[in-house]
Amino acid sequence: MKKSYFGEFGGQFVPELLMPPLLEIEEAMEKIIPTKAFQAELAALLADYVGRPSPLYLCPNLSKRLGVNLWLKREDLNHTGAHKINNTMGQGLLTKYMGKSVLLAETGAGQHGVATATAAAMLGLQCTVYMGAEDVRRQSHNVRRMHLLGAQVVPVQSGTKTLKDAINAALRVWIADQETTHYCFGTAAGPHPFPTLVRLFQSVISREAKAQFQEKIGKLPDYVVACVGGGSNAIGMFHEFVPHPGVKLIGVEAAGTGQPGCYHSAPLSLGRPGVLHGAVSMLLQTEDGQIMPSHSIAPGLDYPGVGPEHAHLQKTGRARYDTVNDTGALRAFSALCREEGIIPALESCHAVAWVLEHAHELPPGCHVAVCLSGRGDKDLGIIEEYLEKGGTL
Amino acid sequence: MSQSVLTTRIREAAARGKKALIPFLPGGFPDKERFFTELDMLDAGGADIIEIGVPFSDPVADGPTVEQASLDCLINGTCLSWILYELAKRKGRYRAALVLMGYYNPFLQYGLDKLGEDMSDAGVSGCIVPDLPLEESGPLRQALVAHGVDVICLVGLNTPIERMKAYAKTARGFVYFVSVLGTTGVRESLPEKIKSRLADVRKVFDLPVALGFGIKTPQQLAQFGDLIDAAVFGSALIDHIRAGGDSASFMARWA
């Protein structure tokens, strides 16, 4: 198997002009990341700046109601409020070691943009973030945060004006600026080596969780659950558990409104293999290979593709992928707010909702670990709009 | 293996003392009917090879001009099957050789197993796939080679000699040299470094060389002398048609 592939998924479907910078990153991954100096500096940043390790928390009230032990891996407590910072600190530091001065990023909801802008400010790098014009409008709060952090935010007017178009724009700019610029890709998708690079920095989640479970219950959890958009928090939460077949891995995709004919964001459950953004993976596409728009109430899950390693984990049966719709996610949002005093990101709510919807099928008293990938402050506008339209929590 | 039609067309232009002209027109542009009128004009106007764009929703190697044209064509209902079907009806009509230029996913979804035969039936001699570097090009090349359809390799300012040599092992038709570190779209001036890199291409490849991306006027080509054999121009032609012109008046400038 080629090292750029996970089974039949992955690869490097990019213009030839992007091969040299991709090969450069691959070389940096081999030569820089394993060094003691890099590892020590990253460990210190994760501990003192990001606030790791993040707690593993047993939800007392929901566990009692559901009859299973519901554990949350609290990535929402990281600096900037989500798991995204694990990746941007890693890639940001790597950028410095590579001698480049600019971090380039795409962002959908703005969480990766904020995390990249944060890393850039802290590490003394310049930062440019490409964001679909439609997302700039919907997520203006995060645009303001990026501005405060000193980043330049460029609205992307082409195509559907959302995340996929922001990635196209960032790839185009990277072709021209590759000498000075590192493309800080936000999720475990894109051309090789990004899926591996992002997993490398996100797998701190499962590395910690595994040790925390050993310490708290003396064994590994029975289920590990995470939401999947591009798939970075999920691959980070799964990675260390993959070699342990007793741990069931559940990825949860967004089913959108769940109405027939409505767009959704569930390429693993409802898509077909195809090539987008440099990799062959599961994809929402038309009969003749055009990429379809996606939808989810959770902006961070709103993407027509998915990281190739998830497609591989699905194909081999190692992980199972299910869907949760907007209503299910909102129900989980309400449950965590009212019963546990935690305001979760709507993305992470999809993973929590899976547990709420499947608890009755799970063995009583089993241990279920959910990656609570982000906090929900960013989603207040969406929640308020939902309530104004007559929705209830 | 016999010489590629694409190589032949470019060599024929050279024998007449000319750079081969390779206009690019997105399939179904400016609309599905007029597209074939424009194609006739390009052919009659002296095109040696015509590049027909297969539209894709996410064209990462293209600038705004080609991207917008591509999205317009998708809205018009242009797709690979339509292009191949319509070209098959006109097989033998064009003096110019035809190549398809498009991103990999539409070709992949069409089915590599039937693509070679259908391209050949449509009179298409090659394809240019800008998101298919050497490492990923094997399956497409294998699918097309048996039908005499070439997969054109693209190299650029930042392609190391070693990679060029690797491309040269399987390259057919011609070599497409990307003149800028960037996307398609006209530039007022082209990078200085092109000449030294074109000299490298000459050393490594035994095929004609076409220069593309960023080319606006015939005058821009003069500086490259014998370093190139052909020029590709796309955005300039699209702009000309959008401004009310047609392919006949456009080609008159270049012939």
Side-chain angles (χ1 to χ4, degrees):
Chain A
M1 195 203 305
K2 285 199 227 170
K3 71 174 172 176
S4 57
Y5 276 77
F6 304 92
E8 62 195 77
F9 302 102
Q12 293 178 298
F13 296 85
V14 295
E16 169 57 34
L17 302 187
L18 282 179
M19 287 304 296
L22 289 175
L23 292 165
E24 191 185 358
I25 296 174
E26 209 175 328
E27 195 187 330
M29 284 173 68
E30 285 163 17
K31 293 197 175 149
I32 298 173
I33 295 180
T35 62
K36 270 189 186 160
F38 183 90
Q39 287 297 327
E41 198 170 344
L42 182 61
L45 286 171
L46 291 179
D48 302 329
Y49 186 67
V50 175
R52 302 204 70 90
S54 65
L56 178 70
Y57 177 69
L58 178 63
C59 293
N61 304 317
L62 279 172
S63 294
K64 202 168 161 193
R65 168 152 83 86
L66 297 172
V68 300
N69 293 292
L70 174 60
W71 298 84
L72 299 179
K73 180 61 176 160
R74 297 291 305 274
E75 293 300 302
D76 61 318
L77 294 178
N78 292 337
H79 179 41
T80 71
H83 69 291
K84 292 290 187 187
I85 192 91
N86 302 328
N87 174 43
T88 61
M89 291 312 295
Q91 289 201 47
L93 193 60
L94 186 63
T95 303
K96 275 190 87 163
Y97 276 70
M98 288 166 77
K100 302 203 176 202
S101 57
V102 185
L103 278 184
L104 165 69
E106 83 293 340
T107 195
Q111 292 303 102
H112 175 59
V114 168
T116 307
T118 300
M122 192 274 168
L123 295 164
L125 301 164
Q126 291 174 53
C127 180
T128 309
V129 179
Y130 283 79
M131 187 169 184
E134 182 61 21
D135 290 329
V136 168
R137 190 186 61 77
R138 289 192 293 195
Q139 309 287 329
S140 64
H141 179 71
N142 274 338
V143 175
R144 299 207 297 278
R145 289 170 78 195
M146 286 183 266
H147 284 155
L148 288 176
L149 292 159
Q152 188 196 356
V153 180
V154 184
V156 176
Q157 302 288 353
S158 61
T160 58
K161 302 183 173 57
T162 59
L163 176 60
K164 78 174 180 68
D165 307 284
I167 295 176
N168 294 340
L171 286 168
R172 289 176 185 132
V173 169
W174 196 33
I175 294 175
D177 297 346
Q178 53 187 261
E179 198 151 327
T180 57
T181 299
H182 173 71
Y183 184 9
C184 184
F185 205 79
T187 190
H192 174 75
F194 285 120
T196 307
L197 179 66
V198 174
R199 183 191 70 201
L200 185 69
F201 292 130
Q202 289 296 0
S203 54
V204 66
I205 302 173
S206 51
R207 203 156 53 242
E208 287 175 6
K210 201 173 160 187
Q212 288 164 323
F213 270 110
Q214 285 297 353
E215 192 191 310
K216 286 176 192 276
I217 62 171
K219 59 176 186 170
L220 299 180
D222 302 297
Y223 293 85
V224 168
V225 187
C227 65
V228 180
S232 72
N233 94 85
I235 210 68
M237 184 70 182
F238 289 176
H239 185 63
E240 292 288 329
F241 296 112
V242 169
H244 301 278
V247 181
K248 294 175 188 67
L249 306 176
I250 314 286
V252 186
E253 295 190 289
T257 63
Q259 303 296 318
C262 162
Y263 294 129
H264 53 82
S265 305
L268 289 163
S269 307
L270 301 162
R272 286 181 295 125
V275 173
L276 174 68
H277 295 148
V280 53
S281 187
M282 298 298 279
L283 198 55
L284 302 180
Q285 57 182 323
T286 64
E287 213 39 18
D288 60 326
Q290 307 300 332
I291 309 309
M292 297 196 340
S294 52
H295 165 78
S296 168
I297 193 167
L301 301 182
D302 195 343
Y303 181 57
V306 65
E309 192 170 4
H310 287 294
H312 178 60
L313 291 172
Q314 178 189 44
K315 181 105 184 182
T316 56
R318 179 62 191 94
R320 161 181 163 190
Y321 295 86
D322 283 345
T323 60
V324 158
N325 65 23
D326 292 351
T327 312
L330 287 162
R331 208 172 288 135
F333 180 86
S334 173
L336 271 192
C337 287
R338 304 288 166 87
E339 296 177 59
E340 297 294 346
I342 294 171
I343 300 177
L346 284 170
E347 291 77 11
S348 323
C349 289
H350 285 74
V352 177
W354 185 90
V355 183
L356 299 182
E357 291 175 10
H358 292 83
H360 64 281
E361 305 161 9
L362 305 180
C366 70
H367 293 273
V368 183
V370 170
C371 185
L372 196 71
S373 54
R375 68 177 185 226
D377 311 42
K378 69 181 182 62
D379 295 320
L380 292 190
I382 296 171
I383 298 290
E384 282 160 6
E385 194 178 312
Y386 168 76
L387 293 174
E388 277 162 22
K389 284 181 183 162
T392 50
L393 287 181
Chain B
M1 199 180 291
S2 61
Q3 177 165 291
S4 148
V5 179
L6 302 173
T7 311
T8 306
R9 285 287 176 279
I10 299 176
R11 299 278 190 234
E12 285 168 357
R16 298 193 306 269
K18 297 206 155 194
K19 303 292 179 211
L21 300 177
I22 312 181
F24 164 84
L25 193 65
F29 182 83
D31 58 55
K32 282 168 107 172
E33 212 168 294
R34 206 180 125 192
F35 171 71
F36 289 100
T37 316
E38 297 296 330
L39 212 52
D40 285 346
M41 287 188 214
L42 291 174
D43 194 46
D48 298 286
I49 296 170
I50 302 172
E51 236 187 77
I52 297 172
V54 179
F56 182 52
S57 51
D58 294 78
V60 291
D62 284 302
T65 303
V66 174
E67 179 178 34
Q68 193 54 54
S70 184
L71 296 176
D72 290 350
C73 293
L74 283 177
I75 293 167
N76 292 343
T78 303
C79 62
L80 179 56
S81 333
W82 177 82
I83 292 171
L84 290 174
Y85 175 77
E86 293 294 329
L87 288 176
K89 290 199 288 192
R90 294 167 174 80
K91 192 177 181 184
R93 180 183 178 91
Y94 306 107
R95 194 202 64 88
L98 303 179
V99 300
L100 296 185
M101 185 283 184
Y103 293 82
Y104 192 44
N105 199 47
F107 292 116
L108 190 63
Q109 301 306 324
Y110 186 88
L112 298 188
D113 49 341
K114 56 177 179 160
L115 185 64
E117 190 178 348
D118 291 358
M119 284 176 86
S120 165
D121 287 348
V124 173
S125 305
C127 70
I128 302 173
V129 186
D131 60 346
L132 205 64
L134 182 68
E135 285 78 352
E136 307 294 351
S137 64
L140 183 67
R141 267 190 284 112
Q142 280 149 27
L144 300 188
V145 72
H147 301 277
V149 179
D150 301 334
V151 177
I152 303 303
C153 78
L154 295 108
V155 296
L157 292 166
N158 64 345
T159 308
I161 294 259
E162 290 313 311
R163 282 188 67 81
M164 286 189 187
K165 285 181 181 163
Y167 272 111
K169 286 181 191 154
T170 54
R172 283 184 53 82
F174 61 93
V175 181
Y176 191 130
F177 188 86
V178 178
S179 66
V180 294
L181 268 184
T183 52
T184 57
V186 295
R187 311 288 203 280
E188 291 304 323
S189 64
L190 297 172
E192 267 304 302
K193 200 181 160 192
I194 294 180
K195 285 183 198 163
S196 68
R197 296 317 319 274
L198 282 172
D200 291 338
V201 173
R202 276 280 187 241
K203 266 181 252 158
V204 173
F205 291 90
D206 191 22
L207 289 172
V209 178
L211 187 69
F213 282 44
I215 296 172
K216 188 181 178 187
T217 64
Q219 289 72 34
Q220 281 174 313
L221 300 179
Q223 57 179 309
F224 302 111
D226 289 340
L227 288 170
I228 60 168
D229 308 294
V232 184
F233 34 86
S235 298
L237 173 58
I238 292 169
D239 286 341
H240 180 79
I241 292 175
R242 285 217 194 268
D246 64 19
S247 298
S249 57
F250 183 85
M251 290 303 286
R253 291 187 206 162
W254 293 76

